[in-house]
Protein backbone atom coordinates (compact mmCIF):
# COMPACT_ATOMS: atom_id res chain seq x y z
CA UNK A 1 0.00 0.00 0.00
CA UNK A 2 2.77 2.39 0.98
CA UNK A 3 4.69 1.53 -2.18
CA UNK A 4 1.75 2.46 -4.43
CA UNK A 5 0.32 5.52 -2.65
CA UNK A 6 1.61 8.56 -0.83
CA UNK A 7 0.80 9.17 2.83
CA UNK A 8 -2.00 11.68 2.10
CA UNK A 9 -3.80 9.15 -0.11
CA UNK A 10 -3.43 6.42 2.51
CA UNK A 11 -4.80 8.64 5.28
CA UNK A 12 -7.93 9.31 3.20
CA UNK A 13 -8.67 5.64 2.51
CA UNK A 14 -11.73 4.10 4.11
CA UNK A 15 -11.46 0.91 6.10
CA UNK A 16 -13.09 -0.96 3.20
CA UNK A 17 -10.57 0.41 0.72
CA UNK A 18 -7.69 -0.69 2.94
CA UNK A 19 -9.13 -4.20 3.30
CA UNK A 20 -9.82 -4.34 -0.44
CA UNK A 21 -6.26 -3.44 -1.28
CA UNK A 22 -4.68 -5.69 1.33
CA UNK A 23 -6.80 -8.80 0.79
CA UNK A 24 -6.80 -8.87 -2.99
CA UNK A 25 -3.17 -7.86 -3.33
CA UNK A 26 -2.31 -10.62 -0.84
CA UNK A 27 -4.13 -13.20 -2.96
CA UNK A 28 -2.52 -11.95 -6.18
CA UNK A 29 0.95 -11.75 -4.68
CA UNK A 30 0.93 -15.05 -2.84
CA UNK A 31 -0.60 -17.11 -5.59
CA UNK A 32 2.04 -19.54 -6.73
CA UNK A 33 2.92 -20.18 -10.37
CA UNK A 34 1.41 -23.66 -10.10
CA UNK A 35 -2.07 -22.14 -10.53
CA UNK A 36 -2.96 -20.07 -13.57
CA UNK A 37 -3.30 -16.36 -12.86
CA UNK A 38 -6.79 -16.51 -14.35
CA UNK A 39 -7.90 -18.55 -11.32
CA UNK A 40 -7.18 -15.64 -8.96
CA UNK A 41 -10.46 -13.90 -9.78
CA UNK A 42 -12.37 -17.14 -9.29
CA UNK A 43 -10.63 -17.82 -5.99
CA UNK A 44 -11.55 -14.32 -4.81
CA UNK A 45 -15.22 -14.84 -5.70
CA UNK A 46 -15.35 -18.28 -4.06
CA UNK A 47 -13.87 -16.81 -0.86
CA UNK A 48 -16.43 -13.98 -0.94
CA UNK A 49 -19.34 -16.38 -1.43
CA UNK A 50 -18.05 -18.70 1.27
CA UNK A 51 -17.69 -15.77 3.69
CA UNK A 52 -21.29 -14.70 3.07
CA UNK A 53 -22.60 -18.23 3.59
CA UNK A 54 -20.62 -18.51 6.83
CA UNK A 55 -22.03 -15.20 8.06
CA UNK A 56 -25.58 -16.25 7.15
CA UNK A 57 -25.14 -19.39 9.24
CA UNK A 58 -23.32 -17.37 11.93
CA UNK A 59 -20.25 -19.58 12.01
CA UNK A 60 -16.56 -18.70 11.96
CA UNK A 61 -15.41 -22.09 10.72
CA UNK A 62 -16.94 -24.64 8.41
CA UNK A 63 -16.45 -28.39 8.17
CA UNK A 64 -14.96 -29.64 4.94
CA UNK A 65 -18.09 -31.68 4.36
CA UNK A 66 -20.28 -28.57 4.69
CA UNK A 67 -17.86 -26.65 2.50
CA UNK A 68 -18.29 -29.14 -0.33
CA UNK A 69 -22.07 -29.04 0.15
CA UNK A 70 -22.01 -25.24 -0.18
CA UNK A 71 -19.69 -25.53 -3.14
CA UNK A 72 -22.14 -27.89 -4.84
CA UNK A 73 -25.23 -25.82 -3.92
CA UNK A 74 -23.66 -22.67 -5.36
CA UNK A 75 -22.97 -24.55 -8.62
CA UNK A 76 -19.27 -23.82 -8.39
CA UNK A 77 -18.28 -27.27 -9.59
CA UNK A 78 -17.79 -26.03 -13.13
CA UNK A 79 -15.25 -23.46 -11.92
CA UNK A 80 -12.86 -25.84 -10.20
CA UNK A 81 -12.61 -29.54 -10.18
CA UNK A 82 -12.93 -31.10 -6.73
CA UNK A 83 -9.39 -32.38 -6.96
CA UNK A 84 -7.12 -30.02 -5.11
CA UNK A 85 -9.90 -27.51 -4.50
CA UNK A 86 -9.21 -26.97 -0.82
CA UNK A 87 -5.49 -26.82 -1.51
CA UNK A 88 -6.07 -24.12 -4.13
CA UNK A 89 -8.17 -22.07 -1.73
CA UNK A 90 -5.92 -22.53 1.29
CA UNK A 91 -2.48 -22.48 -0.32
CA UNK A 92 -0.97 -19.18 0.78
CA UNK A 93 -4.42 -17.68 0.99
CA UNK A 94 -6.83 -16.18 3.50
CA UNK A 95 -8.36 -19.54 4.33
CA UNK A 96 -6.76 -21.97 6.80
CA UNK A 97 -7.12 -25.72 6.58
CA UNK A 98 -7.51 -27.03 10.15
CA UNK A 99 -7.70 -30.72 9.23
CA UNK A 100 -11.49 -31.19 9.54
CA UNK A 101 -12.49 -27.53 9.28
CA UNK A 102 -11.79 -24.44 7.22
CA UNK A 103 -11.64 -20.95 8.65
CA UNK A 104 -10.46 -17.53 7.59
CA UNK A 105 -7.10 -16.57 9.04
CA UNK A 106 -8.61 -13.33 10.32
CA UNK A 107 -12.21 -12.71 11.41
CA UNK A 108 -12.23 -9.22 9.87
CA UNK A 109 -11.32 -10.76 6.50
CA UNK A 110 -14.43 -12.93 6.82
CA UNK A 111 -16.54 -9.87 7.64
CA UNK A 112 -15.15 -7.79 4.79
CA UNK A 113 -15.49 -10.58 2.21
CA UNK A 114 -19.08 -11.25 3.31
CA UNK A 115 -19.90 -7.55 2.86
CA UNK A 116 -18.22 -7.58 -0.53
CA UNK A 117 -20.38 -10.48 -1.71
CA UNK A 118 -23.48 -8.92 -0.17
CA UNK A 119 -22.83 -5.71 -2.13
CA UNK A 120 -23.24 -7.66 -5.38
CA UNK A 121 -26.98 -8.07 -4.77
CA UNK A 122 -29.27 -5.71 -6.63
CA UNK A 123 -31.45 -4.93 -3.60
CA UNK A 124 -28.78 -5.03 -0.96
CA UNK A 125 -30.95 -3.34 1.68
CA UNK A 126 -33.61 -6.02 1.42
CA UNK A 127 -31.07 -8.85 1.40
CA UNK A 128 -29.25 -7.36 4.39
CA UNK A 129 -32.44 -7.09 6.45
CA UNK A 130 -33.53 -10.59 5.40
CA UNK A 131 -30.32 -12.25 6.55
CA UNK A 132 -28.90 -9.95 9.25
CA UNK A 133 -31.98 -8.91 11.20
CA UNK A 134 -33.98 -11.18 13.48
CA UNK A 135 -37.50 -10.88 11.99
CA UNK A 136 -39.62 -10.91 15.17
CA UNK A 137 -37.46 -8.80 17.46
CA UNK A 138 -36.20 -6.63 14.61
CA UNK A 139 -32.70 -6.75 16.05
CA UNK A 140 -29.49 -7.24 14.13
CA UNK A 141 -27.83 -10.60 14.79
CA UNK A 142 -24.62 -10.02 16.73
CA UNK A 143 -22.21 -11.43 14.07
CA UNK A 144 -23.57 -8.89 11.58
CA UNK A 145 -22.45 -5.95 13.71
CA UNK A 146 -18.94 -6.62 12.42
CA UNK A 147 -20.07 -6.78 8.79
CA UNK A 148 -22.29 -3.71 8.98
CA UNK A 149 -19.51 -1.05 8.97
CA UNK A 150 -18.16 -2.50 5.73
CA UNK A 151 -21.66 -2.68 4.23
CA UNK A 152 -22.34 0.94 5.16
CA UNK A 153 -19.03 2.14 3.71
CA UNK A 154 -19.69 0.30 0.46
CA UNK A 155 -23.37 1.32 0.29
CA UNK A 156 -23.81 4.72 1.90
CA UNK A 157 -27.51 4.86 0.96
CA UNK A 158 -28.13 2.21 3.62
CA UNK A 159 -27.30 4.72 6.37
CA UNK A 160 -30.59 6.54 5.73
CA UNK A 161 -32.46 3.25 5.64
CA UNK A 162 -31.01 2.25 9.01
CA UNK A 163 -31.90 5.63 10.47
CA UNK A 164 -35.48 5.17 9.29
CA UNK A 165 -35.59 1.73 10.89
CA UNK A 166 -34.21 3.24 14.08
CA UNK A 167 -37.05 5.77 14.18
CA UNK A 168 -39.64 3.04 13.74
CA UNK A 169 -38.03 0.77 16.33
CA UNK A 170 -36.58 3.27 18.78
CA UNK A 171 -36.43 0.75 21.62
CA UNK A 172 -34.58 -1.82 19.56
CA UNK A 173 -30.91 -2.59 19.18
CA UNK A 174 -30.73 -0.66 15.90
CA UNK A 175 -30.66 2.45 18.08
CA UNK A 176 -27.20 1.56 19.33
Amino acid sequence: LIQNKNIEEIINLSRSEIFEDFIYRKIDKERDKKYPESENHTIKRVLEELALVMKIFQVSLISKDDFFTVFKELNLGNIFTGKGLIEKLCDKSLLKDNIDYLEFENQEFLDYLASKELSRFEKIEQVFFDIAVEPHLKEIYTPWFYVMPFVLEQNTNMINILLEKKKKNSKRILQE
Side-chain angles (χ1 to χ4, degrees):
L1 190 62
I2 294 173
Q3 294 172 349
N4 300 332
K5 299 182 186 302
N6 66 42
I7 298 297
E8 302 242 346
E9 290 175 308
I10 294 171
I11 291 171
N12 292 321
L13 290 174
S14 70
R15 187 169 170 227
S16 289
E17 290 169 325
I18 292 169
F19 272 80
E20 174 91 14
D21 186 72
F22 179 80
I23 289 171
Y24 296 119
R25 193 167 24 87
K26 177 178 171 67
I27 291 171
D28 290 339
K29 189 175 185 179
E30 292 183 350
R31 193 58 49 203
D32 198 295
K33 298 287 183 199
K34 61 184 166 184
Y35 306 123
E37 191 174 323
S38 62
E39 284 188 358
N40 279 1
H41 179 71
T42 305
I43 288 169
K44 293 171 190 175
R45 288 301 309 273
V46 169
L47 291 172
E48 291 166 2
E49 290 186 38
L50 178 62
L52 182 59
V53 168
M54 290 172 71
K55 274 297 173 182
I56 290 170
F57 287 100
Q58 301 182 34
V59 297
S60 60
L61 43 93
I62 187 169
S63 72
K64 288 183 180 177
D65 187 51
D66 287 343
F67 168 76
F68 281 111
T69 301
V70 167
F71 195 77
K72 183 180 174 188
E73 291 295 319
L74 293 174
N75 292 319
L76 299 173
N78 58 346
I79 296 172
F80 291 121
T81 61
K83 182 181 178 186
L85 171 64
I86 289 177
E87 292 79 14
K88 285 181 183 181
L89 291 173
C90 295
D91 185 35
K92 299 181 182 176
S93 185
L94 308 170
L95 207 57
K96 291 190 301 188
D97 183 350
N98 292 336
I99 303 179
D100 294 330
Y101 290 89
L102 299 173
E103 69 178 315
F104 283 86
E105 67 180 29
N106 180 304
Q107 188 66 36
E108 286 183 298
F109 294 167
L110 169 66
D111 298 333
Y112 172 76
L113 291 169
S115 75
K116 183 76 173 180
E117 185 62 25
L118 184 63
S119 71
R120 296 187 195 288
F121 286 91
E122 191 172 321
K123 294 187 178 191
I124 184 173
E125 316 80 35
Q126 184 61 50
V127 175
F128 179 80
F129 286 103
D130 286 347
I131 61 178
V133 177
E134 200 286 325
H136 301 293
L137 299 175
K138 306 247 188 286
E139 294 183 353
I140 296 175
Y141 293 117
T142 305
W144 285 91
F145 278 117
Y146 306 105
V147 177
M148 196 164 51
F150 292 118
V151 171
L152 295 176
E153 282 181 14
Q154 296 165 11
N155 306 280
T156 54
N157 62 320
M158 280 195 53
I159 294 171
N160 292 331
I161 295 167
L162 279 173
L163 291 175
E164 285 299 315
K165 293 276 186 193
K166 177 191 171 262
K167 285 180 187 176
K168 290 179 184 175
N169 301 296
S170 60
K171 294 179 184 176
R172 304 285 188 225
I173 205 159
L174 283 172
Q175 186 173 10
E176 295 175 8

